Amino acid sequence: VVVYIQAQENYVRICYLENGRPKDYVLRSTMVAIAPLMEHYGFIRCLRSYYVNPSHIVALLRDRDDVFSAELDVPDTVIPISKRIYQEMSERL
């Protein structure tokens, strides 16, 4: 089950769960190339460099400097999100 995808120049890092444990896979591709596939499967582009599977979001966080992030159900995993996505997601959750 894919949890999130992170852009890394001409590669994307795919974080997924295998037997309940987080694993990574690096794929030579760009976010633009995988965008239609991610949106088709319900992933949300939370920043230019991240897609997240919304079913793995445990909490939305906002610090006193108005930095927004999403805590995921993978231990010690917090990814940045935009203010717009924070507002949209907080209405959905």
Side-chain angles (χ1 to χ4, degrees):
V1 175
V2 176
V3 178
Y4 69 91
I5 296 175
Q6 179 184 12
Q8 296 178 330
E9 296 184 18
N10 290 326
Y11 296 87
V12 291
R13 179 176 155 248
I14 301 167
C15 177
Y16 64 98
L17 295 176
E18 183 176 284
N19 297 325
R21 296 183 150 204
K23 302 277 185 172
D24 287 337
Y25 180 79
V26 177
L27 176 67
R28 185 172 172 89
S29 186
T30 63
M31 292 296 249
V32 172
I34 66 168
L37 185 62
M38 294 297 94
E39 292 165 6
H40 174 76
Y41 285 103
F43 282 72
I44 297 170
R45 190 158 193 175
C46 49
L47 275 182
R48 182 178 173 153
S49 59
Y50 283 92
Y51 273 102
V52 66
N53 183 338
S55 66
H56 289 277
I57 296 175
V58 176
L60 297 174
L61 309 170
R62 177 182 186 175
D63 70 10
R64 66 177 111 176
D65 296 323
D66 276 345
V67 175
F68 302 94
S69 56
E71 181 181 350
L72 305 181
D73 59 2
V74 176
D76 301 319
T77 305
V78 176
I79 62 170
I81 60 174
S82 70
K83 181 178 182 179
R84 179 183 61 83
I85 295 298
Y86 175 87
Q87 291 169 338
E88 288 177 13
M89 302 272 303
S90 61
E91 292 172 4
R92 294 167 83 185
L93 296 175

